[in-house]
Amino acid sequence: SLETMQREMEKAAEEMAFEPNRTKNAIERLLKHNPAIRSIGLVNRDGKETFLLDRLRFITPKDFRDYSTEPYVGRALKGTVSFGDVFASSELEPYITLAAPVSHAGNIDQVLVSDINMRDLFSAIHTPKTTAGHIYVVDKTGHQIIHPNLSELLRRLDLSGRPIVSKVVRKHVIANGLAPEDEYINEQGERTFTVGMPISVADFSLFYEQPRSQALAQERQAITIAIGTIIGGIILLLFM
């Protein structure tokens, strides 16, 4: 889970802070025991990468990246563990970057950066077989980053125009779908019943959408299923 990855990164950063000579060992161990991590690098205060290990390819200094303009690295240099935006790799798999501060003698002079493959986390989130609904997740800008249909995911739709998405993302509140403004018409032309909930880690928001015609037939059951599905999805993203 993202929560687990964050804890592992923080532990490795602490080990590197106390025993700088074990930095490479800590990174190698982090990579070995966390299959979802594709690569791990070290970035200095200037935003320049000085060390990089990649699970799938041999690295040379020419592969080092410049992170000086990346907001998540800037936040890590100020002492905050931070996530970047979700992006698609060349293999069309979803990744997210996590940055953790590394301090020496009380000064943060390095950042530990890892690219995490979120495919397994995404595939673990599914909807009940008894409903026609589905789950989708958006990032802090309202762009879709999780959808059961890969072609939809790759489109990276901006869903911030949906009032319920805007409300959950901007106000960080739970939306139970009962407010008149929570209803919208989806890309298939269906009126929907949707429940939404913010996720603290990485500023994601998770939604469960189903056709309103089906939801209204058994309103109480629909709400219960929707909320239960969302809570299950959040548990998978954060804790499993």
Side-chain angles (χ1 to χ4, degrees):
S1 71
L2 291 178
E3 184 85 3
T4 299
M5 294 296 173
Q6 181 172 328
R7 288 198 303 267
E8 292 295 316
M9 286 279 287
E10 289 175 322
K11 285 170 57 178
E14 289 176 3
E15 180 180 348
M16 293 159 55
F18 285 111
E19 298 184 83
N21 61 321
R22 293 185 55 81
T23 291
K24 185 177 180 181
N25 291 338
I27 291 177
E28 289 176 341
R29 186 170 62 253
L30 190 60
L31 200 62
K32 178 180 179 181
H33 295 294
N34 296 277
I37 296 179
R38 161 73 180 264
S39 64
I40 305 174
L42 268 180
V43 178
N44 64 22
R45 286 204 63 84
D46 295 326
K48 308 297 185 183
E49 196 164 45
T50 59
F51 180 84
L52 177 63
L53 282 180
D54 191 291
R55 187 180 300 279
L56 302 179
R57 62 192 178 105
F58 178 76
I59 297 298
T60 70
K62 292 182 179 180
D63 297 308
F64 291 170
R65 291 178 55 189
D66 182 349
Y67 288 88
S68 58
T69 61
E70 298 292 354
Y72 55 90
V73 170
R75 291 191 292 268
L77 285 169
K78 294 179 181 178
T80 303
V81 177
S82 183
F83 287 90
D85 296 329
V86 173
F87 63 95
S89 69
S90 57
E91 297 84 14
L92 299 181
E93 294 192 336
Y95 278 81
I96 189 168
T97 304
L98 174 59
V102 180
S103 62
H104 298 104
N107 297 314
I108 299 171
D109 52 13
Q110 290 179 306
V111 173
L112 191 61
V113 176
S114 66
D115 286 340
I116 301 170
N117 189 328
M118 298 187 68
R119 176 190 57 204
D120 292 338
L121 293 177
F122 288 6
S123 62
I125 300 176
H126 59 277
T127 55
K129 295 181 179 179
T130 56
T131 74
H134 70 271
I135 281 178
Y136 64 89
V137 178
V138 303
D139 62 16
K140 58 189 175 184
T141 66
H143 285 82
Q144 184 172 258
I145 59 171
I146 299 179
H147 190 281
N149 187 320
L150 179 60
S151 62
E152 286 292 319
L153 176 62
L154 295 176
R155 290 172 65 191
R156 193 169 162 74
L157 292 175
D158 181 358
L159 303 181
S160 60
R162 295 177 176 177
I164 190 172
V165 172
S166 177
K167 177 166 63 177
V168 175
V169 169
R170 295 180 182 177
K171 297 182 179 179
H172 302 283
V173 296
I174 297 172
N176 62 12
L178 298 179
E181 66 271 14
D182 290 346
E183 178 184 328
Y184 59 84
I185 297 176
N186 63 18
E187 284 69 28
Q188 289 72 45
E190 300 172 317
R191 293 176 62 223
T192 66
F193 173 79
T194 304
V195 173
M197 185 178 295
I199 306 173
S200 58
V201 173
D203 286 332
F204 293 162
S205 297
L206 189 149
F207 299 85
Y208 176 63
E209 171 193 298
Q210 58 182 316
R212 193 166 187 82
S213 57
Q214 179 187 34
L216 291 179
Q218 295 178 308
E219 184 173 322
R220 181 173 297 179
Q221 181 182 6
I223 294 172
T224 301
I225 290 174
I227 293 176
T229 302
I230 280 190
I231 291 174
I234 290 175
I235 290 172
L236 285 168
L237 272 175
L238 300 187
F239 305 114
M240 298 300 287

